[in-house]
Amino acid sequence: MAIRMLIRFTPAKPKAGEEYKFQVVAQHPMEPGTRKDAEGKLIPANYINLLEVYFEGQKVAEIRPGPSTSANPLFALKFKAEKPGSFTVKAKDINGDTGEAQAKLELA
Amino acid sequence: MNRRAFLKTTGMALGALAAVRMPALAQGLEGEDLANLEKGLQAALGKGFKDLTPSDAVKLTMPAIAESGANVPAEVEVALPQGQVKAIHLFADKNPTPHLVAVQLMGGLPYYASRVRLAETTAVRAVVETADGKLLLASASTRVTVGGCG
């Protein structure tokens, strides 16, 4: 199943030269592998372990979360607004599921 | 003295006592576990705790008390120029897997925020790799009422 992701910019339309926050929320249970179900059996680990952020095809950040990341995780980075363009985020979990999301950055 | 006043004064006295006693501990952080942290540092960076330099340039923001350990906001800000920060790591001393996240920055400002799981009351470390190979450290402590790893 593909991983669903949402991208948001704060402020939504930054001015040129302004710093803005780039936030990604992924829909994922992020099982750390240490939790037990109702019968006391360990729930197998299943978490996103790689998140790549591209701006206009160029890689700007690579996030490697460990098992101790919350369910439906939020990842936030900061950038300086220089030119408008499109962001692409690629995610992969340890079971091989992948997800991709895109968002366009517009300048005010 | 009524009950409320009594609780207030004793509470303050205990608080003052804790504040005085804090520096006597290794680093004065609650939930410190250097042995477990060392393991995580060696696995992630190949360096030990003594190779880290505490730095004021790194700002780690964690809540003092987290209601649920399953979802604790963590924020790292580094007061260094953009190109100087290569990577940001987060560690939690008491977690079964101490290494929380590694972030490689190629074009962004030195900032990272996320939400993490904490198993119990623990010290959290932000380790920043700079371009000249230094490892900068900032620590914070979060008290956890309900653990998030089990």
Side-chain angles (χ1 to χ4, degrees), chain A residues 19 21 29-30 32 34-35 59-71 74-80, chain B residues 70-72 77 95-97 99-109 111-117 149-150:
Chain A
E19 286 177 15
K21 216 187 230 181
M30 300 295 279
T34 52
R35 290 179 352 117
K59 201 188 234 184
V60 287
E62 185 181 299
I63 305 173
R64 292 182 175 274
S68 332
T69 307
S70 301
L74 164 102
F75 305 99
L77 298 165
K78 263 186 189 169
F79 296 100
K80 200 171 225 169
Chain B
N71 204 335
V72 186
E77 265 178 290
N95 270 20
T97 315
H99 194 205
L100 301 178
V101 68
V103 187
Q104 306 269 346
L105 297 168
M106 291 97 163
L109 296 166
Y111 173 90
Y112 177 70
S114 184
R115 301 205 183 116
V116 298
R117 285 179 200 269
C149 288

Short mmCIF file of all heavy atoms in Angstrom, two decimals, chain A residues 19 21 29-30 32 34-35 59-71 74-80, chain B residues 70-72 77 95-97 99-109 111-117 149-150:
data_model
loop_
_atom_site.label_atom_id
_atom_site.label_comp_id
_atom_site.label_asym_id
_atom_site.label_seq_id
_atom_site.Cartn_x
_atom_site.Cartn_y
_atom_site.Cartn_z
N GLU A 19 12.39 33.17 5.15
CA GLU A 19 12.49 31.77 5.57
C GLU A 19 11.09 31.18 5.66
O GLU A 19 10.17 31.85 6.12
CB GLU A 19 13.14 31.68 6.95
CG GLU A 19 14.61 31.94 6.93
CD GLU A 19 15.20 31.91 8.33
OE1 GLU A 19 14.53 31.42 9.26
OE2 GLU A 19 16.32 32.37 8.48
N LYS A 21 8.80 27.40 6.54
CA LYS A 21 8.82 26.05 7.09
C LYS A 21 8.20 25.10 6.07
O LYS A 21 7.18 25.44 5.45
CB LYS A 21 8.00 26.04 8.38
CG LYS A 21 8.57 25.14 9.44
CD LYS A 21 7.60 25.10 10.59
CE LYS A 21 8.30 25.36 11.89
NZ LYS A 21 7.34 25.29 13.00
N PRO A 29 1.38 3.83 10.39
CA PRO A 29 1.28 3.46 11.82
C PRO A 29 2.60 3.55 12.58
O PRO A 29 2.59 3.70 13.79
CB PRO A 29 0.78 2.00 11.76
CG PRO A 29 1.15 1.52 10.40
CD PRO A 29 1.08 2.70 9.50
N MET A 30 3.73 3.46 11.89
CA MET A 30 5.05 3.56 12.52
C MET A 30 5.18 2.62 13.73
O MET A 30 5.42 3.06 14.85
CB MET A 30 5.34 5.01 12.95
CG MET A 30 5.34 6.01 11.85
SD MET A 30 6.64 5.81 10.64
CE MET A 30 8.02 6.56 11.45
N PRO A 32 6.98 0.48 16.23
CA PRO A 32 8.40 0.41 16.59
C PRO A 32 8.91 -1.02 16.77
O PRO A 32 10.12 -1.24 16.87
CB PRO A 32 8.46 1.17 17.92
CG PRO A 32 7.09 1.11 18.47
CD PRO A 32 6.14 0.96 17.33
N THR A 34 8.29 -2.87 19.38
CA THR A 34 8.39 -3.19 20.81
C THR A 34 7.01 -3.25 21.46
O THR A 34 6.89 -3.56 22.63
CB THR A 34 9.21 -2.12 21.55
OG1 THR A 34 8.68 -0.84 21.23
CG2 THR A 34 10.66 -2.16 21.14
N ARG A 35 5.97 -2.94 20.66
CA ARG A 35 4.62 -2.93 21.23
C ARG A 35 3.99 -4.31 21.15
O ARG A 35 4.30 -5.10 20.25
CB ARG A 35 3.74 -1.92 20.48
CG ARG A 35 4.18 -0.51 20.79
CD ARG A 35 3.41 0.58 20.08
NE ARG A 35 2.49 0.18 19.07
CZ ARG A 35 1.16 0.42 19.18
NH1 ARG A 35 0.68 1.01 20.23
NH2 ARG A 35 0.37 0.07 18.20
N LYS A 59 18.32 17.01 -4.73
CA LYS A 59 18.07 16.56 -3.37
C LYS A 59 18.49 17.64 -2.38
O LYS A 59 19.61 18.13 -2.42
CB LYS A 59 18.89 15.30 -3.11
CG LYS A 59 18.34 14.48 -1.96
CD LYS A 59 19.30 13.36 -1.64
CE LYS A 59 18.62 12.02 -1.67
NZ LYS A 59 19.53 10.94 -1.27
N VAL A 60 17.57 18.03 -1.49
CA VAL A 60 17.90 19.06 -0.50
C VAL A 60 17.99 18.51 0.91
O VAL A 60 18.61 19.11 1.77
CB VAL A 60 16.91 20.24 -0.55
CG1 VAL A 60 17.14 21.08 -1.79
CG2 VAL A 60 15.48 19.77 -0.50
N ALA A 61 17.37 17.35 1.16
CA ALA A 61 17.47 16.77 2.51
C ALA A 61 17.14 15.29 2.45
O ALA A 61 16.41 14.82 1.58
CB ALA A 61 16.51 17.47 3.46
N GLU A 62 17.75 14.57 3.37
CA GLU A 62 17.48 13.14 3.49
C GLU A 62 17.27 12.84 4.96
O GLU A 62 18.14 13.08 5.79
CB GLU A 62 18.69 12.36 2.94
CG GLU A 62 18.47 10.88 2.90
CD GLU A 62 19.70 10.16 2.38
OE1 GLU A 62 20.09 10.41 1.23
OE2 GLU A 62 20.27 9.36 3.13
N ILE A 63 16.09 12.34 5.30
CA ILE A 63 15.75 12.06 6.69
C ILE A 63 15.69 10.56 6.87
O ILE A 63 15.02 9.87 6.10
CB ILE A 63 14.40 12.72 7.07
CG1 ILE A 63 14.43 14.21 6.78
CG2 ILE A 63 14.06 12.45 8.53
CD1 ILE A 63 13.12 14.91 6.97
N ARG A 64 16.42 10.04 7.85
CA ARG A 64 16.39 8.61 8.15
C ARG A 64 15.84 8.41 9.56
O ARG A 64 16.60 8.38 10.51
CB ARG A 64 17.80 8.01 8.05
CG ARG A 64 18.33 7.99 6.64
CD ARG A 64 19.71 7.36 6.56
NE ARG A 64 20.12 7.25 5.17
CZ ARG A 64 19.79 6.21 4.40
NH1 ARG A 64 19.11 5.21 4.89
NH2 ARG A 64 20.19 6.18 3.15
N PRO A 65 14.52 8.24 9.68
CA PRO A 65 13.95 8.05 11.02
C PRO A 65 14.25 6.64 11.54
O PRO A 65 14.35 5.69 10.77
CB PRO A 65 12.45 8.24 10.81
CG PRO A 65 12.27 8.73 9.42
CD PRO A 65 13.47 8.29 8.66
N GLY A 66 14.40 6.54 12.86
CA GLY A 66 14.52 5.24 13.50
C GLY A 66 13.14 4.74 13.89
O GLY A 66 12.14 5.36 13.55
N PRO A 67 13.06 3.63 14.62
CA PRO A 67 11.75 3.12 15.02
C PRO A 67 11.01 4.04 15.99
O PRO A 67 9.79 3.96 16.08
CB PRO A 67 12.06 1.77 15.67
CG PRO A 67 13.53 1.77 15.91
CD PRO A 67 14.14 2.72 14.97
N SER A 68 11.74 4.88 16.73
CA SER A 68 11.04 5.71 17.71
C SER A 68 10.53 7.01 17.11
O SER A 68 10.88 8.09 17.56
CB SER A 68 11.95 6.03 18.89
OG SER A 68 12.91 5.05 19.08
N THR A 69 9.71 6.91 16.08
CA THR A 69 9.06 8.09 15.54
C THR A 69 7.56 7.86 15.65
O THR A 69 7.09 6.73 15.50
CB THR A 69 9.48 8.30 14.07
OG1 THR A 69 10.91 8.32 14.00
CG2 THR A 69 8.96 9.59 13.53
N SER A 70 6.83 8.90 15.95
CA SER A 70 5.41 8.77 16.24
C SER A 70 4.62 8.25 15.05
O SER A 70 5.05 8.38 13.90
CB SER A 70 4.84 10.13 16.62
OG SER A 70 5.50 10.62 17.72
N ALA A 71 3.44 7.71 15.34
CA ALA A 71 2.51 7.33 14.28
C ALA A 71 2.08 8.58 13.54
O ALA A 71 2.00 9.66 14.12
CB ALA A 71 1.31 6.62 14.88
N LEU A 74 5.23 13.72 11.59
CA LEU A 74 5.41 15.03 10.99
C LEU A 74 6.91 15.29 10.87
O LEU A 74 7.66 15.00 11.81
CB LEU A 74 4.78 16.10 11.89
CG LEU A 74 5.18 17.54 11.61
CD1 LEU A 74 4.09 18.23 10.85
CD2 LEU A 74 5.50 18.29 12.87
N PHE A 75 7.33 15.77 9.73
CA PHE A 75 8.72 16.14 9.54
C PHE A 75 8.74 17.58 9.08
O PHE A 75 8.05 17.93 8.13
CB PHE A 75 9.40 15.26 8.49
CG PHE A 75 9.29 13.79 8.79
CD1 PHE A 75 8.32 13.01 8.17
CD2 PHE A 75 10.16 13.18 9.69
CE1 PHE A 75 8.22 11.66 8.45
CE2 PHE A 75 10.05 11.83 9.97
CZ PHE A 75 9.09 11.06 9.35
N ALA A 76 9.52 18.43 9.73
CA ALA A 76 9.55 19.83 9.35
C ALA A 76 10.99 20.27 9.08
O ALA A 76 11.90 19.92 9.82
CB ALA A 76 8.93 20.70 10.44
N LEU A 77 11.17 21.01 8.01
CA LEU A 77 12.47 21.59 7.66
C LEU A 77 12.25 23.06 7.36
O LEU A 77 11.11 23.51 7.20
CB LEU A 77 13.04 20.89 6.42
CG LEU A 77 13.32 19.40 6.52
CD1 LEU A 77 13.53 18.83 5.13
CD2 LEU A 77 14.54 19.15 7.38
N LYS A 78 13.35 23.80 7.30
CA LYS A 78 13.23 25.22 6.96
C LYS A 78 14.10 25.52 5.75
O LYS A 78 15.20 25.01 5.63
CB LYS A 78 13.68 26.09 8.13
CG LYS A 78 12.53 26.56 8.99
CD LYS A 78 13.01 27.52 10.05
CE LYS A 78 11.91 27.81 11.04
NZ LYS A 78 12.43 28.53 12.20
N PHE A 79 13.57 26.36 4.88
CA PHE A 79 14.33 26.78 3.71
C PHE A 79 14.20 28.28 3.54
O PHE A 79 13.33 28.91 4.13
CB PHE A 79 13.80 26.09 2.45
CG PHE A 79 13.96 24.60 2.44
CD1 PHE A 79 12.90 23.78 2.77
CD2 PHE A 79 15.19 24.04 2.14
CE1 PHE A 79 13.05 22.40 2.78
CE2 PHE A 79 15.35 22.66 2.15
CZ PHE A 79 14.28 21.84 2.46
N LYS A 80 15.07 28.82 2.71
CA LYS A 80 14.98 30.23 2.36
C LYS A 80 14.37 30.31 0.97
O LYS A 80 14.80 29.60 0.05
CB LYS A 80 16.39 30.83 2.36
CG LYS A 80 16.38 32.32 2.48
CD LYS A 80 17.78 32.84 2.70
CE LYS A 80 17.80 33.89 3.80
NZ LYS A 80 19.15 34.22 4.21
N ALA B 70 3.95 8.60 23.19
CA ALA B 70 3.85 8.17 21.81
C ALA B 70 3.98 9.33 20.83
O ALA B 70 4.17 9.12 19.65
CB ALA B 70 2.51 7.46 21.57
N ASN B 71 3.84 10.55 21.33
CA ASN B 71 3.80 11.68 20.42
C ASN B 71 4.38 12.91 21.11
O ASN B 71 3.66 13.71 21.69
CB ASN B 71 2.34 11.93 20.02
CG ASN B 71 2.23 12.64 18.70
OD1 ASN B 71 3.16 13.35 18.31
ND2 ASN B 71 1.14 12.47 18.03
N VAL B 72 5.69 13.04 21.07
CA VAL B 72 6.36 14.14 21.76
C VAL B 72 7.01 15.05 20.72
O VAL B 72 7.83 14.59 19.94
CB VAL B 72 7.44 13.61 22.73
CG1 VAL B 72 8.02 14.74 23.56
CG2 VAL B 72 6.89 12.53 23.62
N GLU B 77 17.13 23.69 16.51
CA GLU B 77 17.52 24.87 15.74
C GLU B 77 19.01 25.08 15.94
O GLU B 77 19.50 24.96 17.07
CB GLU B 77 16.78 26.10 16.23
CG GLU B 77 15.53 26.41 15.46
CD GLU B 77 14.82 27.61 16.04
OE1 GLU B 77 14.28 27.50 17.14
OE2 GLU B 77 14.85 28.66 15.39
N ASN B 95 15.48 5.02 25.46
CA ASN B 95 14.71 4.26 24.48
C ASN B 95 15.40 2.95 24.14
O ASN B 95 16.63 2.88 24.15
CB ASN B 95 14.54 5.08 23.20
CG ASN B 95 13.29 5.93 23.22
OD1 ASN B 95 12.74 6.19 24.28
ND2 ASN B 95 12.84 6.34 22.07
N PRO B 96 14.63 1.89 23.80
CA PRO B 96 15.26 0.64 23.37
C PRO B 96 16.17 0.85 22.15
O PRO B 96 17.21 0.21 22.04
CB PRO B 96 14.08 -0.27 23.04
CG PRO B 96 12.83 0.50 23.26
CD PRO B 96 13.18 1.78 23.91
N THR B 97 15.78 1.73 21.24
CA THR B 97 16.66 2.15 20.14
C THR B 97 16.96 3.62 20.38
O THR B 97 16.13 4.47 20.10
CB THR B 97 15.97 1.98 18.77
OG1 THR B 97 15.33 0.72 18.75
CG2 THR B 97 16.96 2.08 17.64
N HIS B 99 18.86 5.82 18.94
CA HIS B 99 18.97 6.72 17.79
C HIS B 99 17.59 7.01 17.22
O HIS B 99 16.93 6.10 16.70
CB HIS B 99 19.87 6.08 16.72
CG HIS B 99 20.32 7.05 15.68
ND1 HIS B 99 20.68 6.65 14.42
CD2 HIS B 99 20.46 8.39 15.70
CE1 HIS B 99 21.03 7.72 13.71
NE2 HIS B 99 20.91 8.78 14.47
N LEU B 100 17.11 8.24 17.33
CA LEU B 100 15.76 8.55 16.88
C LEU B 100 15.72 8.87 15.40
O LEU B 100 14.88 8.36 14.68
CB LEU B 100 15.20 9.75 17.67
CG LEU B 100 15.12 9.61 19.18
CD1 LEU B 100 14.60 10.90 19.79
CD2 LEU B 100 14.23 8.46 19.57
N VAL B 101 16.62 9.73 14.95
CA VAL B 101 16.56 10.14 13.55
C VAL B 101 17.90 10.74 13.12
O VAL B 101 18.65 11.27 13.94
CB VAL B 101 15.40 11.16 13.34
CG1 VAL B 101 15.69 12.45 14.04
CG2 VAL B 101 15.14 11.40 11.87
N ALA B 102 18.21 10.57 11.83
CA ALA B 102 19.36 11.23 11.23
C ALA B 102 18.86 12.06 10.07
O ALA B 102 18.12 11.56 9.23
CB ALA B 102 20.36 10.19 10.73
N VAL B 103 19.23 13.32 10.03
CA VAL B 103 18.78 14.21 8.96
C VAL B 103 20.01 14.77 8.25
O VAL B 103 20.83 15.43 8.88
CB VAL B 103 17.93 15.38 9.51
CG1 VAL B 103 17.36 16.18 8.38
CG2 VAL B 103 16.84 14.87 10.40
N GLN B 104 20.13 14.48 6.97
CA GLN B 104 21.21 15.05 6.16
C GLN B 104 20.66 16.29 5.47
O GLN B 104 19.63 16.21 4.82
CB GLN B 104 21.66 14.06 5.08
CG GLN B 104 22.05 12.71 5.59
CD GLN B 104 23.52 12.63 5.91
OE1 GLN B 104 24.28 13.51 5.51
NE2 GLN B 104 23.92 11.60 6.63
N LEU B 105 21.34 17.41 5.62
CA LEU B 105 20.86 18.63 4.99
C LEU B 105 21.79 19.00 3.84
O LEU B 105 22.99 19.12 4.02
CB LEU B 105 20.83 19.77 6.02
CG LEU B 105 19.87 19.56 7.19
CD1 LEU B 105 20.13 20.57 8.27
CD2 LEU B 105 18.44 19.64 6.73
N MET B 106 21.20 19.15 2.65
CA MET B 106 22.02 19.54 1.50
C MET B 106 21.69 20.96 1.05
O MET B 106 22.51 21.60 0.44
CB MET B 106 21.80 18.59 0.33
CG MET B 106 22.35 17.21 0.57
SD MET B 106 21.04 16.13 1.14
CE MET B 106 21.78 14.55 0.86
N GLY B 107 20.49 21.43 1.30
CA GLY B 107 20.17 22.76 0.81
C GLY B 107 19.32 23.57 1.76
O GLY B 107 18.98 24.70 1.48
N GLY B 108 18.97 22.99 2.88
CA GLY B 108 18.05 23.67 3.77
C GLY B 108 18.75 24.44 4.86
O GLY B 108 19.96 24.34 5.05
N LEU B 109 17.98 25.21 5.60
CA LEU B 109 18.50 25.89 6.78
C LEU B 109 18.64 24.86 7.90
O LEU B 109 17.95 23.85 7.91
CB LEU B 109 17.54 27.00 7.19
CG LEU B 109 17.37 28.14 6.17
CD1 LEU B 109 16.16 28.99 6.52
CD2 LEU B 109 18.62 28.99 6.13
N TYR B 111 17.62 23.33 10.57
CA TYR B 111 16.42 23.25 11.41
C TYR B 111 15.77 21.91 11.16
O TYR B 111 15.75 21.41 10.04
CB TYR B 111 15.46 24.38 11.03
CG TYR B 111 14.12 24.30 11.71
CD1 TYR B 111 13.89 24.91 12.93
CD2 TYR B 111 13.07 23.59 11.11
CE1 TYR B 111 12.66 24.83 13.55
CE2 TYR B 111 11.84 23.50 11.72
CZ TYR B 111 11.63 24.13 12.94
OH TYR B 111 10.42 24.03 13.54
N TYR B 112 15.25 21.29 12.22
CA TYR B 112 14.48 20.06 12.05
C TYR B 112 13.47 19.96 13.17
O TYR B 112 13.77 20.23 14.33
CB TYR B 112 15.40 18.84 12.05
CG TYR B 112 14.66 17.53 11.94
CD1 TYR B 112 14.04 17.18 10.75
CD2 TYR B 112 14.56 16.67 13.02
CE1 TYR B 112 13.34 16.01 10.63
CE2 TYR B 112 13.86 15.48 12.91
CZ TYR B 112 13.25 15.15 11.71
OH TYR B 112 12.55 13.99 11.61
N ALA B 113 12.26 19.57 12.83
CA ALA B 113 11.24 19.35 13.85
C ALA B 113 10.48 18.09 13.49
O ALA B 113 10.27 17.79 12.32
CB ALA B 113 10.28 20.53 13.94
N SER B 114 10.12 17.32 14.50
CA SER B 114 9.38 16.10 14.26
C SER B 114 8.67 15.71 15.55
O SER B 114 8.75 16.41 16.56
CB SER B 114 10.34 14.98 13.82
OG SER B 114 9.60 13.82 13.50
N ARG B 115 7.98 14.57 15.51
CA ARG B 115 7.36 14.05 16.73
C ARG B 115 7.92 12.66 16.95
O ARG B 115 8.03 11.87 16.03
CB ARG B 115 5.84 13.99 16.57
CG ARG B 115 5.29 15.36 16.29
CD ARG B 115 3.87 15.50 16.70
NE ARG B 115 3.41 16.84 16.33
CZ ARG B 115 2.46 17.04 15.44
NH1 ARG B 115 1.87 16.04 14.85
NH2 ARG B 115 2.10 18.27 15.16
N VAL B 116 8.31 12.39 18.19
CA VAL B 116 9.00 11.14 18.47
C VAL B 116 8.31 10.37 19.59
O VAL B 116 7.48 10.90 20.32
CB VAL B 116 10.48 11.40 18.88
CG1 VAL B 116 11.23 12.05 17.74
CG2 VAL B 116 10.56 12.27 20.13
N ARG B 117 8.68 9.10 19.69
CA ARG B 117 8.21 8.25 20.79
C ARG B 117 9.28 8.21 21.86
O ARG B 117 10.46 8.04 21.56
CB ARG B 117 8.02 6.81 20.30
CG ARG B 117 6.82 6.57 19.45
CD ARG B 117 6.81 5.11 19.05
NE ARG B 117 5.98 4.89 17.88
CZ ARG B 117 4.68 4.60 17.96
NH1 ARG B 117 4.10 4.48 19.12
NH2 ARG B 117 3.99 4.41 16.87
N CYS B 149 6.62 3.31 23.78
CA CYS B 149 7.32 2.27 23.01
C CYS B 149 6.85 0.87 23.37
O CYS B 149 7.41 -0.11 22.92
CB CYS B 149 8.83 2.35 23.22
SG CYS B 149 9.56 3.77 22.40
N GLY B 150 5.86 0.72 24.25
CA GLY B 150 5.50 -0.64 24.63
C GLY B 150 4.01 -0.82 24.80
O GLY B 150 3.23 0.07 24.62
#
